Amino acid sequence: RKMGKGQEKRALRMGLFLYSHSTEMSAPYEIIANLLRSCQDKPYKMYPFAHLVRVGKGKMPSIFAKRHLPTPVKKIHHIKELAAACGEERTGKIFDTFFRDDVRNAFYHSDYAISDEEFRIIEGGEMGKQTIRLEELSDLLSRCFAFYSAFFMTFNQVRRGLVEGKRFLRK
């Protein structure tokens, strides 16, 4: 059964909603960063992006100062650095196949318009020149969901294996 244009756009908006939330998840970035750190014999870090947190400048240093957490762009950049340091550049390049900050940002801020053929990003309150064909956008979303699906399936298999495996006690 074929969807009508209204249903297609609704499905695309739902896909963009899930895409935006998926690319904001911290756990996958943290797990990948720690795996790459372990390849370099570096210790596990609870938050491997702590060095990327920016602290707001006030009159006096304070524990209550506003903190700006790193964006997905900065996390991915750091992951690419870690990947390159241990000869795993392909790991960092995977994100290039599905992550587009302009698409995520336009959707989050409702700075976009969808026609029958394209997704157009609105820049500065005006229709921008940047457009993405709907087929290309659909492929981007599919690659994103395929990545996260594979990531979480692998993560859960490893987790289950660790639960069922032998336990070793530290001395």
Side-chain angles (χ1 to χ4, degrees):
R1 188 173 136 186
K2 192 172 178 175
M3 283 195 270
K5 288 290 180 191
Q7 289 174 313
E8 285 178 12
K9 288 181 184 177
R10 221 178 351 264
L12 190 59
R13 283 189 183 95
M14 182 56 73
L16 285 163
F17 176 76
L18 294 171
Y19 175 82
S20 297
H21 281 282
S22 296
T23 58
E24 288 284 333
M25 282 189 285
S26 293
Y29 298 123
E30 292 168 5
I31 291 166
I32 292 168
N34 271 308
L35 286 170
L36 291 167
R37 287 175 55 77
S38 73
C39 291
Q40 300 172 53
D41 292 328
K42 292 181 179 178
Y44 170 85
K45 280 191 171 182
M46 190 71 149
Y47 187 55
F49 305 108
H51 66 287
L52 298 174
V53 175
R54 290 184 305 117
V55 179
K57 305 228 189 280
K59 295 176 186 165
M60 290 183 2
S62 167
I63 61 168
F64 302 110
K66 184 171 174 99
R67 288 175 172 49
H68 304 276
L69 299 177
T71 63
V73 171
K74 289 182 180 176
K75 291 177 184 179
I76 290 170
H77 180 74
H78 183 62
I79 286 171
K80 287 179 175 182
E81 288 174 346
L82 289 170
C86 59
E88 291 290 335
E89 289 85 359
R90 284 182 31 203
T91 302
K93 289 181 181 176
I94 289 171
F95 292 97
D96 296 336
T97 65
F98 70 85
F99 181 78
R100 286 204 41 182
D101 194 48
D102 57 346
V103 171
R104 182 194 62 82
N105 201 40
F107 182 78
Y108 258 138
H109 297 287
S110 297
D111 290 339
Y112 70 96
I114 298 176
S115 72
D116 289 344
E117 295 90 32
E118 62 190 18
F119 177 88
R120 182 178 293 268
I121 296 173
I122 298 171
E123 299 163 355
E126 296 180 18
M127 285 300 238
K129 293 181 178 139
Q130 189 169 3
T131 62
I132 303 164
R133 290 185 353 269
L134 292 187
E135 299 93 34
E136 184 183 340
L137 186 61
S138 181
D139 287 345
L140 181 77
L141 299 178
S142 293
R143 287 191 304 272
C144 175
F145 301 145
F147 169 80
Y148 283 106
S149 176
F151 175 85
F152 282 111
M153 283 173 48
T154 304
F155 175 76
N156 286 325
Q157 285 175 346
V158 169
R159 230 178 60 179
R160 254 182 287 169
L162 292 173
V163 167
E164 296 165 2
K166 291 183 179 179
R167 301 205 191 290
F168 297 96
L169 300 176
R170 291 185 188 181
K171 292 182 180 186

